[in-house]
Amino acid sequence: MVSESNRGGADRTTAAGEEKEERGQLLFDVPEIRFTKLFINGSFVDAVSGRTFDTRDPRTGGVIASVAEADKEDVDLAVRAARAAFDHGEWPRMSGSERGRIMARLADLVEEHAGELAALESLDAGKHPAVTRAVDVGNAAGSLRYFAGAADKIHGETLKMPGQFQGHTLREPLGVAGVIIPWNFPSTMFAVKVAPALAAGCALVVKPAEQTPLSALYLAQLAKQAGVPDGVINVVPGFGPTAGAALASHMDVDMVSFTGSTEVGRLIMKASAESNLKPVYLELGGKSPLIVFDDADLDMAVELAVGASFFNKGEACVAASRVYVQERVYDRFEERLAERMRSWVVGDPFSDPRADQGPQVDKAQYERVLSYIDHGKREGATLLTGGRPCAPEGKGYYIEPTVFTNVKEDMIIAKEEIFGPVMCLMKFKTVEEAIARANDTRYGLGAGVVTRDLDVANRVVRSVRAGVVWVNCYFAMGSDCPFGGRKMSGFGKDEGMHALDKYLAVKSVVTPLRASPWI
């Protein structure tokens, strides 16, 4: 049964709620869906239009719950609430240490409710609940705690100006932040965007992806429980062309931070240019290279390549979808990779204890990935493994992990972001060639290098144009490690102290020096 808390809710029975009866005992409990309405000014409310949309379980395609669908009118209400909270409310006027205490309480609540939150997000996104709890929810709590500690450490500078003047800078909260988050790591991305904005003293309107709205609504009520004042965090589930577009073009939104596709990033920048020229920060697509040199530990390199390509079903912007292996060890690497993929299990993450990979997030993404696999076949690439749908019970959006060999740089699968479990395996001869091919992309989000040679590693790190480069590891991230891309992978940083810059305005203050003994 779907319920909503004492602030009102839906009154329907869902496919998720009946699943134990239909499919037998599960390894993880299907969570109760308690929050399905818009969260505006501290309350759960219906959409102005009364419309809802279905969020679906990618394991079966069945409906989990019906969620209130925000439109322009709802975004207007949410922005109005955020504006009032910022212009007249207590949050930006609190001391940084007090904001930090409330944020730390929110981090505690996220950890306290980690099991339910992880199961909820896993149900919505087709992820493994144990991994989601450790990685996604763990990262969310970590980001909140990190920026809770940063809230009272936002300082300006003193300026030694020419002539008889002195100056200093103030770093002030920017205002109302519009945040649009993706569906692949919903809890993590909610916290990664919200935490620095809260620390800075901003108010927010968050639009979660329509595929995965449930965790953002859950986190919003935890924020209220932690003591975040009403209106500071508002959550408006809905669709990009309506709710997302209204937020990006809103004249009373002071900035937008977006993570998602390059195509939508363009639309958001256009909306900003045509409205109030609000600053926009984008974390977009990727086609990240992993470069394996011939001195590498091949077993380690294979494991890194598998994890870098297929973690989270390949639904990661920084996934290493282009793997380059030096020709002297290429054949051995390919053989070991093929052997490793034979033990890779695709299955229901709620019921199959062996499952390494669950379903793609929805039918549209499932069909998109399969279309790219068809492109690869038609263009002449060779399938080493996978390449087919593989729903365990004939339901859901499951795809075999797919490795293509004999891939050329001009093939679509080598150039475009697929955002699914597809790896392009290629060989190279020299360091110079590896660097040139790694940089031969419109993206610049991440990269990896596997080698025992420190000189080679340093050369590649300095030469590859990407926002993050991993050496003998991959997907190693942390709240203190800035993350963001270059080129068409976007600009601006999430995580680390640099993330605060997006939500702060720098004001210079100049005063004259009257009869000072020092100039």
Side-chain angles (χ1 to χ4, degrees), residues 234-245:
N234 305 274
V235 179
V236 286
F239 295 88
T242 50

Side-chain angles (χ1 to χ4, degrees), residues 254-302:
D254 296 303
M255 64 83 70
V256 170
S257 180
F258 168 76
T259 295
S261 71
T262 300
E263 293 74 20
V264 175
R266 289 179 185 273
L267 295 175
I268 290 172
M269 289 194 72
K270 182 179 179 182
S272 169
E274 292 177 346
S275 56
N276 60 348
L277 284 175
K278 62 180 71 66
V280 172
Y281 299 93
L282 304 174
E283 196 263 282
L284 305 175
K287 197 69 179 172
S288 300
L290 176 66
I291 305 170
V292 179
F293 286 92
D294 58 15
D295 66 334
D297 179 325
L298 282 190
D299 289 332
M300 179 187 76
V302 167

Side-chain angles (χ1 to χ4, degrees), residues 486-516:
R486 296 166 63 173
K487 300 190 285 187
M488 291 183 71
S489 290
F491 40 83
K493 296 296 183 183
D494 291 323
E495 301 283 48
M497 295 297 283
H498 292 280
L500 287 167
D501 295 340
K502 297 187 294 190
Y503 304 100
L504 293 166
V506 176
K507 178 185 288 181
S508 297
V509 181
V510 180
T511 59
L513 284 170
R514 304 296 187 190
S516 171

Side-chain angles (χ1 to χ4, degrees), residues 290 297-311 333 336-337 339-341 343-344 423 474:
L290 176 66
D297 179 325
L298 282 190
D299 289 332
M300 179 187 76
V302 167
E303 286 302 316
L304 284 178
V306 171
S309 299
F310 301 125
F311 172 66
F333 183 95
R336 293 187 193 189
L337 177 62
E339 181 181 354
R340 174 67 179 87
M341 296 317 299
S343 65
W344 187 266
M423 177 198 297
Y474 209 90

Side-chain angles (χ1 to χ4, degrees), residues 25 115 127 185 221 265 284 295 301 318 335 414 427 453 488:
Q25 186 64 41
K127 298 156 76 82
F185 296 99
Q221 63 86 25
L284 305 175
D295 66 334
V318 78
E335 181 181 343
K427 67 175 68 173
D453 190 324
M488 291 183 71

